[in-house]
Short mmCIF file of all heavy atoms in Angstrom, two decimals:
data_model
loop_
_atom_site.label_atom_id
_atom_site.label_comp_id
_atom_site.label_asym_id
_atom_site.label_seq_id
_atom_site.Cartn_x
_atom_site.Cartn_y
_atom_site.Cartn_z
N LEU E 211 -17.29 8.66 5.06
CA LEU E 211 -17.63 7.23 5.09
C LEU E 211 -19.10 7.01 5.45
O LEU E 211 -19.73 6.08 4.96
CB LEU E 211 -16.76 6.50 6.11
CG LEU E 211 -15.27 6.41 5.77
CD1 LEU E 211 -14.50 5.83 6.96
CD2 LEU E 211 -15.02 5.60 4.52
N LEU E 212 -19.61 7.88 6.31
CA LEU E 212 -20.99 7.74 6.78
C LEU E 212 -21.89 8.80 6.16
O LEU E 212 -21.47 9.93 5.93
CB LEU E 212 -21.06 7.84 8.30
CG LEU E 212 -20.17 6.89 9.10
CD1 LEU E 212 -20.52 6.97 10.58
CD2 LEU E 212 -20.27 5.46 8.60
N ASP E 213 -23.14 8.40 5.92
CA ASP E 213 -24.12 9.32 5.33
C ASP E 213 -24.71 10.18 6.45
O ASP E 213 -25.83 9.94 6.92
CB ASP E 213 -25.21 8.53 4.62
CG ASP E 213 -26.13 9.42 3.79
OD1 ASP E 213 -26.10 10.64 3.98
OD2 ASP E 213 -26.88 8.88 2.96
N ARG E 216 -28.15 12.05 5.80
CA ARG E 216 -29.36 11.25 6.05
C ARG E 216 -29.65 11.15 7.55
O ARG E 216 -30.79 11.34 7.98
CB ARG E 216 -29.17 9.85 5.47
CG ARG E 216 -30.35 8.92 5.76
CD ARG E 216 -30.10 7.52 5.20
NE ARG E 216 -31.14 6.58 5.61
CZ ARG E 216 -31.15 5.29 5.33
NH1 ARG E 216 -30.16 4.78 4.59
NH2 ARG E 216 -32.12 4.50 5.75
N ALA E 296 -27.09 5.59 12.09
CA ALA E 296 -25.79 5.51 11.41
C ALA E 296 -25.92 4.68 10.14
O ALA E 296 -26.44 3.56 10.17
CB ALA E 296 -24.75 4.89 12.34
N TYR E 297 -25.44 5.24 9.04
CA TYR E 297 -25.52 4.57 7.74
C TYR E 297 -24.21 4.78 6.98
O TYR E 297 -23.69 5.90 6.94
CB TYR E 297 -26.66 5.15 6.89
CG TYR E 297 -27.99 5.23 7.61
CD1 TYR E 297 -28.43 6.45 8.14
CD2 TYR E 297 -28.80 4.11 7.76
CE1 TYR E 297 -29.65 6.55 8.80
CE2 TYR E 297 -30.03 4.20 8.42
CZ TYR E 297 -30.44 5.43 8.93
OH TYR E 297 -31.64 5.51 9.59
N PHE E 298 -23.70 3.72 6.39
CA PHE E 298 -22.56 3.87 5.49
C PHE E 298 -23.03 4.57 4.21
O PHE E 298 -24.15 4.34 3.74
CB PHE E 298 -22.00 2.51 5.09
CG PHE E 298 -21.11 1.86 6.12
CD1 PHE E 298 -21.53 0.73 6.79
CD2 PHE E 298 -19.86 2.39 6.40
CE1 PHE E 298 -20.72 0.13 7.74
CE2 PHE E 298 -19.04 1.79 7.34
CZ PHE E 298 -19.47 0.66 8.01
N LEU E 299 -22.17 5.39 3.64
CA LEU E 299 -22.40 5.83 2.27
C LEU E 299 -22.28 4.61 1.37
O LEU E 299 -21.48 3.70 1.65
CB LEU E 299 -21.36 6.88 1.86
CG LEU E 299 -21.56 8.29 2.43
CD1 LEU E 299 -20.33 9.15 2.16
CD2 LEU E 299 -22.80 8.95 1.83
N PRO E 300 -23.05 4.54 0.28
CA PRO E 300 -22.97 3.38 -0.61
C PRO E 300 -21.54 3.15 -1.10
O PRO E 300 -20.92 4.05 -1.68
CB PRO E 300 -23.90 3.77 -1.77
CG PRO E 300 -24.88 4.72 -1.15
CD PRO E 300 -24.08 5.50 -0.14
N GLY E 301 -21.01 1.99 -0.85
CA GLY E 301 -19.66 1.65 -1.28
C GLY E 301 -18.59 1.82 -0.22
O GLY E 301 -17.47 1.30 -0.36
N ALA E 302 -18.90 2.53 0.86
CA ALA E 302 -17.90 2.80 1.89
C ALA E 302 -17.47 1.53 2.62
O ALA E 302 -16.27 1.29 2.84
CB ALA E 302 -18.45 3.81 2.89
N GLU E 303 -18.43 0.69 2.98
CA GLU E 303 -18.09 -0.53 3.71
C GLU E 303 -17.27 -1.47 2.84
O GLU E 303 -16.32 -2.10 3.32
CB GLU E 303 -19.36 -1.23 4.20
CG GLU E 303 -19.10 -2.36 5.16
CD GLU E 303 -20.39 -2.91 5.78
OE1 GLU E 303 -21.48 -2.62 5.26
OE2 GLU E 303 -20.29 -3.64 6.78
N LEU E 306 -13.67 -0.27 2.85
CA LEU E 306 -12.98 -0.62 4.09
C LEU E 306 -12.65 -2.11 4.14
O LEU E 306 -11.57 -2.49 4.63
CB LEU E 306 -13.84 -0.21 5.29
CG LEU E 306 -14.09 1.29 5.44
CD1 LEU E 306 -15.05 1.55 6.59
CD2 LEU E 306 -12.79 2.06 5.64
N LEU E 334 -22.29 0.45 13.77
CA LEU E 334 -21.75 -0.05 12.50
C LEU E 334 -20.53 -0.94 12.70
O LEU E 334 -19.93 -1.38 11.72
CB LEU E 334 -21.40 1.13 11.59
CG LEU E 334 -22.58 2.00 11.15
CD1 LEU E 334 -22.09 3.20 10.35
CD2 LEU E 334 -23.58 1.20 10.34
N LEU E 336 -17.48 -0.27 13.65
CA LEU E 336 -16.33 0.29 12.95
C LEU E 336 -15.00 -0.21 13.50
O LEU E 336 -13.97 -0.07 12.83
CB LEU E 336 -16.38 1.83 13.02
CG LEU E 336 -17.54 2.49 12.26
CD1 LEU E 336 -17.39 4.00 12.30
CD2 LEU E 336 -17.62 2.01 10.81
N ARG E 338 -14.12 -3.01 13.49
CA ARG E 338 -13.67 -4.05 12.55
C ARG E 338 -12.54 -3.53 11.67
O ARG E 338 -11.70 -4.30 11.19
CB ARG E 338 -14.81 -4.48 11.63
CG ARG E 338 -15.94 -5.23 12.26
CD ARG E 338 -17.03 -5.49 11.22
NE ARG E 338 -17.72 -4.27 10.84
CZ ARG E 338 -18.43 -4.11 9.71
NH1 ARG E 338 -18.49 -5.11 8.83
NH2 ARG E 338 -19.06 -2.99 9.46
N PHE E 339 -12.55 -2.22 11.45
CA PHE E 339 -11.65 -1.62 10.48
C PHE E 339 -10.59 -0.69 11.08
O PHE E 339 -9.48 -0.63 10.56
CB PHE E 339 -12.46 -0.82 9.46
CG PHE E 339 -13.58 -1.58 8.81
CD1 PHE E 339 -14.90 -1.23 9.04
CD2 PHE E 339 -13.32 -2.66 7.98
CE1 PHE E 339 -15.94 -1.93 8.45
CE2 PHE E 339 -14.34 -3.37 7.38
CZ PHE E 339 -15.67 -3.00 7.62
#
Side-chain angles (χ1 to χ4, degrees):
L211 293 172
L212 305 189
D213 190 345
R216 176 182 173 184
Y297 311 100
F298 281 111
L299 284 169
E303 190 172 15
L306 296 175
L334 296 175
L336 294 185
R338 292 176 290 160
F339 308 113

